[in-house]
Amino acid sequence: RRSHFFKSFFITKLLDEAGGYRYQNVKRWSKKVPGKDIFALDKIIYPVNMSGVHWTCIVIFMKLKRIQFFDSMGSSGRPYLQGLLQYLEDEHKAKKKSQLDTSDWELVPCDSDTCPQQENGFDCGVFTCMFADFISRDLPLTFTQSDITRCRDRIALSILNGSALF
């Protein structure tokens, strides 16, 4: 099964700063997903720009029925988790014409004990890229602040080569 990376604009369109939810703004976005069915994917990865100042990452693990928030500064991300669960319900109803049973879905806020944490106020973007990279490849999040310069170099090299991080 495949993973799909949505653009950061998705969350901005789905959830506004006042806490409003707008499925209507993103209902067509799943047409760009391979197979046009998000429910056939393994993982859906969303970079999130919180209030225009901090980058985080949310992952929907479809097979595991889990939505998890990854933040290098340790915030819980609850409004984002709840918004994406509502999105799944609405998307299922719109595309599959049936109610999605979310009673066994798990919403997992960031756990700063298991999620790598930054030690400054400017590396959140690199951490977010590395969360997405490691998670998409089923790797444990084993990097730390001391690895960030090397991670930044990997990101730059992948951009120069026009390829994914791998």
Side-chain angles (χ1 to χ4, degrees):
R1 292 175 76 166
R2 298 182 59 159
S3 296
H4 183 73
F5 297 79
F6 274 101
K7 297 176 182 177
S8 62
F9 197 49
F10 179 93
I11 295 294
T12 305
K13 296 297 284 180
L14 180 68
L15 305 171
D16 63 33
E17 288 295 322
Y21 172 83
R22 309 270 188 279
Y23 175 70
Q24 199 69 14
N25 291 346
V26 297
K27 70 179 185 176
R28 292 189 192 100
W29 286 52
S30 62
K31 290 180 180 178
K32 296 180 182 179
V33 170
K36 300 183 190 312
D37 182 6
I38 65 168
F39 299 98
L41 296 170
D42 181 32
K43 297 177 202 82
I44 308 170
I45 300 170
Y46 302 87
V48 178
N49 188 273
M50 297 174 65
S51 303
V53 296
H54 179 59
W55 288 99
T56 63
C57 184
I58 306 172
V59 180
I60 300 177
F61 296 90
M62 296 301 285
K63 286 190 293 188
L64 300 174
K65 297 184 176 183
R66 183 175 82 218
I67 306 173
Q68 190 164 350
F69 191 73
F70 298 89
D71 182 0
S72 60
M73 301 273 299
S75 70
S76 73
R78 288 219 182 266
Y80 298 101
L81 296 170
Q82 292 164 341
L84 280 176
L85 184 62
Q86 181 65 53
Y87 166 73
L88 289 177
E89 291 172 347
D90 290 343
E91 185 73 4
H92 199 275
K93 189 172 188 174
K95 305 297 185 331
K96 303 277 190 183
K97 309 297 184 209
S98 65
Q99 190 72 30
L100 177 66
D101 179 10
T102 57
S103 61
D104 55 350
W105 277 75
E106 183 182 14
L107 302 182
V108 182
C110 182
D111 178 357
S112 58
D113 290 333
T114 58
C115 182
Q117 299 292 289
Q118 67 187 79
E119 297 171 2
N120 59 39
F122 51 84
D123 282 332
C124 57
V126 178
F127 274 86
T128 297
C129 289
M130 299 316 295
F131 292 149
D133 179 40
F134 276 55
I135 291 166
S136 71
R137 295 187 294 136
D138 295 319
L139 298 173
L141 301 177
T142 55
F143 58 93
T144 67
Q145 180 71 53
S146 64
D147 300 310
I148 292 305
T149 298
R150 201 166 36 259
C151 294
R152 195 180 294 278
D153 292 344
R154 276 186 63 220
I155 293 168
L157 186 59
S158 71
I159 293 168
L160 290 171
N161 289 334
S163 63
L165 280 176
F166 308 112

